[in-house]
Amino acid sequence: MYKQTTRSISVTVRPVYLEDQSTPSDNHYVWAYQVKIENEGSETVQLRSRFWRITDALGRTQEVRGDGVVGEQPVLRPGESFEYTSGTPLATPSGIMVGAYTMEAGDGSHFDIDVPAFSLDSPHQPVRLN
């Protein structure tokens, strides 16, 4: 599990390698990641957009931007949380993801909260000793 808090909004991520959806012989590896966003502050906020930077084991980077998450722009009142699951494929047996959510406060102002960097690991990644 990976967790980070920005402006009293906590984001926890748990990545899971999906063996049944992956085909290592075709360089196709798939992960799901479960996200929990918790409003530990005193103001109501709404998640407006997302940004992801996905980097594979060869250093190739893909950036993803879009409105909301999984088709939603959840409103989080103080003490509330929102959970969702999404996924990503890679052409390598490991990688890393990091991102941010743009939130809107009750007064209409916007601010970014960090999503912690998290590792995408599969049992197919060769082990290298340093």
Side-chain angles (χ1 to χ4, degrees), residues 35-119:
V35 179
K36 182 175 185 179
I37 305 164
E38 299 174 88
N39 184 352
E40 299 170 345
S42 59
E43 64 180 332
T44 297
V45 297
Q46 183 171 14
L47 191 157
R48 288 300 192 176
S49 63
R50 71 187 180 286
F51 166 75
W52 291 109
R53 181 177 296 117
I54 307 163
T55 306
D56 72 12
L58 299 175
R60 296 177 295 209
T61 300
Q62 174 186 6
E63 293 188 352
V64 178
R65 297 176 191 276
D67 293 337
V69 290
V70 294
E72 297 188 49
Q73 293 182 321
V75 173
L76 299 172
R77 290 169 187 77
E80 290 185 338
S81 64
F82 178 79
E83 295 183 54
Y84 73 94
T85 300
S86 191
T88 190
L90 288 180
T92 60
S94 67
I96 193 165
M97 284 182 69
V98 65
Y101 299 126
T102 299
M103 309 299 282
E104 183 176 325
D107 64 5
S109 64
H110 290 83
F111 62 95
D112 288 340
I113 60 169
D114 296 322
V115 177
F118 57 95
S119 182

